[in-house]
Amino acid sequence: MANIMIQGTTSSAGKSFICTGLCRIFKEDGYKVAPFKSQNMSSKYYETEEGYKMSTAQALQAKAAGIEPNPNMNPILLIPNSDKGSDVIIKGKFYNRMEALEYFTYKDELKPMIKEAYKNLEKENHIMVLEGAGSPAEINLKENDIVNMGMAKMADAPVLLVADIDRGGVFASLYGTVLLLEEEERARIKGLIINKFRGDKRLLDPGIEMIEELLNIPVIGTLPLTPLELVDEDSLIDYEKHCNLFPQREDEIEGELGKLSKMIRENLDMDYIYSLLKLD
C-alpha cells in the first residue's frame, strides 16, 4: 500500500489544493486513490446523501479521485461554536460539544478509531493522499498529535512540506518548521514545495539552493499562484471565489480540476513523488 502526506508550515499554505491535485493526477494515471485527513476544523462542511458530515476539502478530493465522499476520509470534524469550543463530529455524526482544553485531553482516545478509518480506506485503494492541519511545528500542541506527524507515524507516510511564499518569509518558515521537529519527524520530510509564487523564478533559485543545503531536503517544485474556482473552506484565501457563493455545475468543477492537475504536473517533480510511493 502506497501513501503520501502533505503538511504545511502554516494554515492556508496550500495543503488541500495540492492534495486535490494529486488525487486527480493519480486517478488520471490509472490508480485507485482516496484522500484522508484525520481531523479538520471548519465552520463549513459537506453532507453526504446518508447525512454524514465531513470536511468540504476531503469531499472535493474524493471528487478529484473519482469516488464518493465517505466519512472515513475525515473521521473527526470540529465545527466551532465559540472562540473556545466546537461541536465534535466523529465519523460523520455528532458526538459531543467540547471546550478546546477538554478536547485536547480527550483526543488521544480517538487514535484507534482514526487507525480503523484509515485502514478501511487503505485496503480499498492503491494510494492514500493524507493531509495535515495547520503546522506540524506547533510545539504547544504536539503532545499526542493525531493530524500531522502523529498521523504520519500511524500511517508510516513520507511527508512533503509546503510553504506559502505570497505572504513572505518562505525560507524562514520552511527552516523553522523543520528545525522545531524531532529528529525522527524531520526524517519523514522528503521534499519541500514553495506555493503561490509570482514573478521570475530565477530570482528564487539562490534561496532554493541555500535552503536545500541547510536542510538537506530537496525543493521538488515551485507552484505559481493559480486562482481556481474550487470550493475553499479556508478563510485566508487570496481572491474572491464565485463558487463559494453560487453552486457549480459538474462540468465547471471538472474543468477546474483539470487545470489544477495540469499545473501541478508542470511544476512538481512527479517522478520524484512516484519514487516515494514505492508502488508494486
Side-chain angles (χ1 to χ4, degrees):
M1 179 62 217
N3 58 22
I4 190 81
M5 186 170 197
I6 307 297
Q7 297 184 15
T9 59
T10 60
S11 292
S12 196
K15 297 181 290 289
S16 298
F17 171 84
I18 293 170
C19 287
T20 302
L22 289 177
C23 283
R24 176 47 57 107
I25 286 170
F26 295 143
K27 175 186 179 290
E28 290 171 344
D29 291 352
Y31 295 100
K32 289 180 67 179
V33 55
F36 186 85
K37 184 170 184 174
S38 56
Q39 172 192 289
N40 205 342
M41 176 178 278
S42 178
S43 57
K44 300 179 187 176
Y45 58 84
Y46 174 88
E47 194 161 333
T48 69
E49 290 183 2
E50 300 83 6
Y52 296 112
K53 293 177 181 176
M54 60 181 285
S55 159
T56 57
Q58 276 62 61
L60 179 62
Q61 288 160 13
K63 182 173 285 290
I67 57 178
E68 286 298 313
N70 178 321
N72 280 330
M73 297 169 184
N74 174 217
I76 305 167
L77 175 63
L78 305 176
I79 303 175
N81 55 48
S82 71
D83 288 345
K84 293 183 179 178
S86 297
D87 289 349
V88 180
I89 310 297
I90 295 181
K91 295 186 83 169
K93 293 295 185 183
F94 176 80
Y95 171 72
N96 203 353
R97 182 165 286 188
M98 290 187 176
E99 295 289 297
L101 188 58
E102 180 187 6
Y103 176 74
F104 184 77
T105 56
Y106 167 70
K107 67 178 182 175
D108 194 46
E109 297 179 28
L110 295 172
K111 284 183 179 178
M113 182 276 295
I114 291 169
K115 288 179 183 177
E116 179 189 26
Y118 180 81
K119 291 293 182 185
N120 285 340
L121 287 171
E122 184 183 50
K123 65 187 179 186
E124 297 172 357
N125 293 279
H126 301 125
I127 303 172
M128 295 291 293
V129 176
L130 291 80
E131 181 181 341
S135 163
E138 304 290 4
I139 54 178
N140 57 316
L141 300 174
K142 280 184 63 179
E143 185 183 357
N144 298 324
D145 173 63
I146 59 171
V147 67
N148 285 306
M149 285 300 177
M151 186 63 228
K153 184 176 181 179
M154 278 191 263
D156 192 20
V159 173
L160 302 177
L161 182 66
V162 57
D164 174 2
I165 195 172
D166 197 44
R167 290 185 172 84
V170 70
F171 296 115
S173 65
L174 287 168
Y175 185 79
T177 298
V178 173
L179 266 288
L180 282 171
L181 297 175
E182 306 298 326
E183 190 173 339
E184 67 180 63
E185 295 172 333
R186 284 181 220 156
R188 287 201 178 274
I189 300 181
K190 304 301 183 184
L192 309 174
I193 300 170
I194 295 172
N195 191 27
K196 304 183 190 176
F197 180 72
R198 37 184 153 190
D200 189 329
K201 185 178 171 295
R202 289 174 295 183
L203 296 173
L204 200 60
D205 288 341
I208 288 174
E209 291 175 14
M210 290 173 70
I211 200 71
E212 288 181 328
E213 188 173 328
L214 284 166
L215 296 177
N216 196 30
I217 303 171
V219 174
I220 66 162
T222 300
L223 302 178
L225 181 64
T226 307
L228 288 167
E229 286 295 328
L230 292 169
V231 173
D232 197 312
E233 66 189 6
D234 206 312
S235 59
L236 297 174
I237 54 175
D238 306 280
Y239 48 89
E240 185 176 349
K241 296 189 178 189
H242 297 294
C243 66
N244 285 329
L245 304 173
F246 309 106
Q248 277 183 295
R249 298 196 315 266
E250 192 72 23
D251 63 326
E252 292 174 332
I253 297 172
E254 285 299 310
E256 295 298 286
L257 289 172
K259 288 181 199 174
L260 176 58
S261 164
K262 182 174 184 291
M263 186 278 291
I264 287 182
R265 282 191 191 273
E266 290 174 350
N267 293 282
L268 279 193
D269 187 344
M270 287 305 303
D271 288 340
Y272 180 77
I273 291 174
Y274 270 115
S275 76
L276 297 176
L277 293 175
K278 298 174 183 172
L279 288 157
D280 293 334

